[in-house]
Amino acid sequence: DQQVKQNSPSLSVQEGRISILNCDYTNSMFDYFLWYKKYPAEGPTFLISISSIKDKNEDGRFTVFLNKSAKHLSLHIVPSQPGDSAVYFCAASDSGAGSYQLTFGKGTKLSVIP
Amino acid sequence: DAGVIQSPRHEVTEMGQEVTLRCKPISGHNSLFWYRQTMMRGLELLIYFNNNVPIDDSGMPEDRFSAKMPNASFSTLKIQPSEPRDSAVYFCASSLDRVKSPLHFGNGTRLTVT
């Protein structure tokens, strides 16, 4: 059973517009969430994270929003650029035990059209 | 820093053969992870080492899979004998042993078993 779900396999957005990538989780013990970006033939690279004590974290063009009651998070990219075209993975962890293991969603492929 | 280094980048082998994948984590990182990525299941954690000790190998699919970390700068994932269903991209990742320290992934090994 998937504990982290990204229900949209793909998303196309015009350059300059906002990209919104969504992620849902089922495990209420998850308290730390991350987004990774992956280009073809490369490994995922860390993009941005958020702790469950916050509902928003911003880093430049990237903002992650967390809605704990809905068990939902989203990544906003504004403005979108062609170089943002990649697969985006949502990941979650339960950091309470001190170990650090991520559960990943299956990814959303973002295409930013020039 | 060169990042996490994996070898080989591509491996094509025949069913029944032994396959060994290699990983050099980032210097100073004391947590190491092996992940497998497939279309069907996405990114799955296979095994997690902390300070060279296997902590959680519950993701290792079968006895045909084994992993070692003889020292802080080297790990191997071995499949023996290999089967066509093992075809996937295998990623190694490392991190600091600190809650909320993001994973750094290598570029992966694409394994094809014919």
Side-chain angles (χ1 to χ4, degrees):
Chain A
D1 184 32
Q2 269 196 291
Q3 297 187 69
V4 177
K5 296 182 182 179
Q6 294 176 256
N7 291 319
S8 298
S10 62
L11 174 68
S12 288
V13 172
Q14 206 73 30
E15 181 179 3
R17 306 295 291 266
I18 184 171
S19 295
I20 300 177
L21 297 97
N22 293 303
C23 178
D24 297 293
Y25 62 96
T26 58
N27 188 340
S28 58
M29 296 300 292
F30 286 151
D31 60 356
Y32 190 58
F33 305 89
L34 307 89
W35 285 93
Y36 281 79
K37 176 180 178 178
K38 185 184 179 303
Y39 292 118
E42 295 184 8
T45 55
F46 170 70
L47 189 58
I48 192 169
S49 63
I50 189 168
S51 168
S52 60
I53 61 174
K54 293 185 174 182
D55 55 18
K56 175 183 174 181
N57 189 27
E58 194 171 349
D59 183 2
R61 296 185 297 114
F62 302 91
T63 303
V64 57
F65 295 92
L66 175 62
N67 182 334
K68 289 185 291 294
S69 61
K71 294 191 176 68
H72 177 84
L73 64 156
S74 61
L75 174 68
H76 293 212
I77 307 173
V78 183
S80 302
Q81 299 174 354
D84 297 328
S85 297
V87 177
Y88 289 79
F89 292 97
C90 170
S93 75
D94 169 11
S95 58
S99 64
Y100 188 80
Q101 299 179 29
L102 295 180
T103 301
F104 283 87
K106 287 192 176 180
T108 297
K109 183 176 182 180
L110 173 65
S111 299
V112 179
I113 305 161
Chain B
D1 197 323
V4 176
I5 299 172
Q6 291 187 246
S7 64
R9 289 299 309 272
H10 302 274
E11 178 79 41
V12 180
T13 190
E14 292 184 347
M15 183 174 68
Q17 296 297 306
E18 175 182 306
V19 174
T20 299
L21 311 181
R22 296 172 176 79
C23 174
K24 177 179 168 53
I26 291 173
S27 177
H29 283 190
N30 49 7
S31 292
L32 183 138
F33 306 79
W34 282 100
Y35 281 86
R36 178 172 68 176
Q37 184 186 25
T38 60
M39 289 293 291
M40 286 294 293
R41 301 174 68 89
L43 273 163
E44 302 175 278
L45 177 65
L46 300 178
I47 188 167
Y48 158 52
F49 290 87
N50 184 256
N51 291 323
N52 313 337
V53 176
I55 303 300
D56 183 355
D57 65 354
S58 59
M60 296 285 264
E62 301 171 32
D63 291 345
R64 298 183 297 107
F65 285 68
S66 62
K68 294 182 179 179
M69 192 165 186
N71 56 62
S73 59
F74 184 65
S75 177
T76 60
L77 178 67
K78 184 181 291 186
I79 309 172
Q80 180 185 25
S82 58
E83 296 183 2
R85 59 192 167 125
D86 301 330
S87 297
V89 181
Y90 291 80
F91 288 103
C92 176
S94 70
S95 73
L96 294 168
D97 181 23
R98 200 166 62 209
V99 172
K100 301 175 184 176
S101 176
L103 299 188
H104 296 261
F105 284 82
N107 285 334
T109 295
R110 179 173 294 277
L111 173 65
T112 304
V113 183
T114 60

